[in-house]
Amino acid sequence: MGQVQIASFPYARESDKTMVSVEGVIQSSSAIQQSVTANQVDMAVAKKTLDAHKQAGEAAVQLIESAAKISLAPGKGSMINTVG
């Protein structure tokens, strides 16, 4: 296997270049993991928001349906009692 060529750095030894390369890989890996974690959190928050909106919509539909049932009941809502 051949060695990976690294851009020239002002280091005196080849082992110094390898160390910089390993540190760069570790930093990149850490940044990718942070990005993945942030995306997972964003998706969880979006799902909770969507669930909350869905529940609110279902509650609104139930309210409208119950209001319709009351207005259809015989003798309900057709007269107003103005005597106190």
Side-chain angles (χ1 to χ4, degrees), residues 54-76:
K54 183 178 178 183
Q55 287 178 347
E58 289 170 354
V61 168
Q62 287 177 350
L63 182 62
I64 292 168
E65 287 174 347
S66 66
K69 287 178 186 175
I70 292 171
S71 68
L72 295 177
K76 297 279 186 173

Side-chain angles (χ1 to χ4, degrees), residues 5-25:
Q5 293 295 324
I6 303 172
S8 295
F9 292 104
Y11 299 112
R13 297 179 299 217
E14 189 66 29
S15 64
D16 291 340
K17 291 180 185 179
T18 303
M19 183 58 86
V20 169
S21 177
V22 171
E23 289 173 1
V25 170

Side-chain angles (χ1 to χ4, degrees), residues 72-84:
L72 295 177
K76 297 279 186 173
S78 60
M79 294 184 232
I80 299 174
N81 184 358
T82 58
V83 179

Side-chain angles (χ1 to χ4, degrees), residues 35-54:
S35 177
V36 168
T37 302
N39 286 339
Q40 289 172 340
V41 169
D42 290 343
M43 291 300 292
V45 169
K47 183 180 181 317
K48 290 213 179 256
T49 302
L50 182 61
D51 290 344
H53 285 290
K54 183 178 178 183

